[in-house]
Structures are given as C-alpha cells and as structure tokens.
Amino acid sequence: MKTVDKYLFQALDNYPFNLEETVESLDYALSYDDKNTMALCLYARVYAEQLLNYEEAKSLFEKAIGININAIEVYPFYIQTLLLNEDWDEAEKVIDFAVTIKGINKVEILLKRVLLLELKREFKKAQKTIKEIKLLLIDSDYNYLIEETERRLNEKLGKKSDDNDSPKKKKSKKKSSK
C-alpha cells in the first residue's frame, strides 16, 4: 500500500464528520500524487456538499475525469453537483456517457437521470427510466429509494399512491353495494 492510500483512507474515514482532518489528509494525499482521482473526487465533494461552491467542485471533478475518463468513483457525485448547480444540459451529457463506462453502477447513474427528468418536469420519461432501472436491479439495496421516487412522481402526476382511494374504485364500490 502506498502512502497516498493511507492518507486517502484517513480522509474517507473522516468525511463528512471531521472536515478539518479530511482536508488535511487530502492535502497530504495530493502532495504524494496530485493525479489521484479518488482524492480529487473527495475534495470536490467537500466543495460541493459542505461549502456549496459548485463551480470549484465542478473544476475538481473535471480535473479527475481529465486524468482518467473511466474514474467511476467520480461520476455520481459530479452529476449530483451538476444537478444542484442547475447545469442540466451538461448533466444529461455526463449521464449519457457515464452509463457506457464498464463497471459503473448503472442503477445509481440512471437514478440521477430520473432526478434530472423530474427537475425538468418530464415525469413520464422519469417513470419510464424507473422501469429501466428495475430491469437492472440484482439486489434489493435500491428498493426503498425507487419506491419513494415512484410515489413522488405519481403525486406530481396527480395519481394516488393507494389504488383503493382512486375515484373509479369508489364508484364501482358504490354500484356493487346497491
């Protein structure tokens, strides 16, 4: 194990609970290897998630991708930053590329697409993407998140989440009780 890895582990262990030690460890890690995409990614996350400095975060994410375009650890956080910064066209391009990278968590990236479509108020397309995600699932880790996202999309489309309360069902219940 390299020294850079030791400092990277310290930074990952401290984030987000001890930001001072996180940044110190990242500075040491990057002093040993200024092209370490994991360290650059975590530094970008500090800027995006803690300091809300999306432009600086984007710059660091782009630097990491410039070093290794297949740095799968970068894309979910980079896309989230683009969404928060309302860079929707750029986010769409990054999502389209990211799903082509071998080894990336496609479910996680496609969930970012759902968020993008929801932000753009393209709810039907978002629901279609949810169906695509369900086909990719191989475990139940994302079930709750997907269910909650579907519920939220249905509410935005004006659908009831509980089918028993739908107006059509109420009418049919009244007719059958006569």
Side-chain angles (χ1 to χ4, degrees):
M1 183 174 298
K2 299 177 191 171
T3 305
V4 67
D5 296 326
K6 175 186 167 230
Y7 287 114
L8 185 55
F9 288 143
Q10 287 175 356
L12 288 166
D13 192 41
N14 284 312
Y15 188 77
F17 306 106
N18 189 334
L19 296 176
E20 183 179 357
E21 288 188 26
T22 299
V23 170
E24 184 178 328
S25 295
L26 286 172
D27 286 338
Y28 281 124
L30 289 169
S31 73
Y32 282 96
D33 179 5
D34 64 343
K35 292 182 167 100
N36 186 297
T37 57
M38 184 74 78
L40 289 168
C41 178
L42 187 53
Y43 227 131
R45 289 182 59 197
V46 170
Y47 275 103
E49 297 167 10
Q50 305 304 319
L51 302 175
L52 307 179
N53 184 340
Y54 301 127
E55 294 302 324
E56 184 65 28
K58 283 171 38 181
S59 175
L60 288 167
F61 285 130
E62 290 164 4
K63 182 177 180 181
I65 290 170
I67 293 166
N68 179 4
I69 199 160
N70 295 314
I72 60 175
E73 70 275 10
V74 175
Y75 289 93
F77 302 108
Y78 182 34
I79 294 165
Q80 185 65 32
T81 300
L82 293 171
L83 294 175
L84 291 170
N85 202 45
E86 299 178 18
D87 294 325
W88 297 345
D89 292 337
E90 192 174 346
E92 191 167 2
K93 290 175 189 172
V94 174
I95 290 167
D96 288 343
F97 177 75
V99 294
T100 68
I101 299 173
K102 184 177 178 179
I104 201 161
N105 183 340
K106 288 175 180 41
V107 170
E108 190 172 8
I109 300 301
L110 289 174
L111 281 167
K112 300 294 184 194
R113 176 174 283 151
V114 170
L115 288 175
L116 172 62
L117 293 168
E118 186 176 2
L119 288 166
K120 293 168 71 174
R121 298 178 186 216
E122 296 178 16
F123 305 122
K124 294 278 187 191
K125 287 182 181 178
Q127 286 181 318
K128 187 177 177 184
T129 304
I130 292 274
K131 288 179 182 176
E132 184 181 342
I133 291 169
K134 286 180 177 180
L135 294 173
L136 292 172
L137 287 176
I138 56 173
D139 57 36
S140 59
D141 290 350
Y142 289 95
N143 285 352
Y144 179 76
L145 179 60
I146 290 170
E147 287 170 10
E148 286 301 304
T149 303
E150 278 184 307
R151 183 191 55 72
R152 188 176 65 244
L153 290 170
N154 285 335
E155 286 176 5
K156 290 180 179 182
L157 283 168
K159 295 179 181 178
K160 296 276 188 196
S161 59
D162 184 2
D163 288 341
N164 294 331
D165 293 336
S166 72
K168 289 181 182 178
K169 292 231 177 192
K170 284 183 180 178
K171 284 182 183 178
S172 65
K173 283 181 183 178
K174 287 180 183 178
K175 285 181 183 178
S176 63
S177 64
K178 287 183 179 178

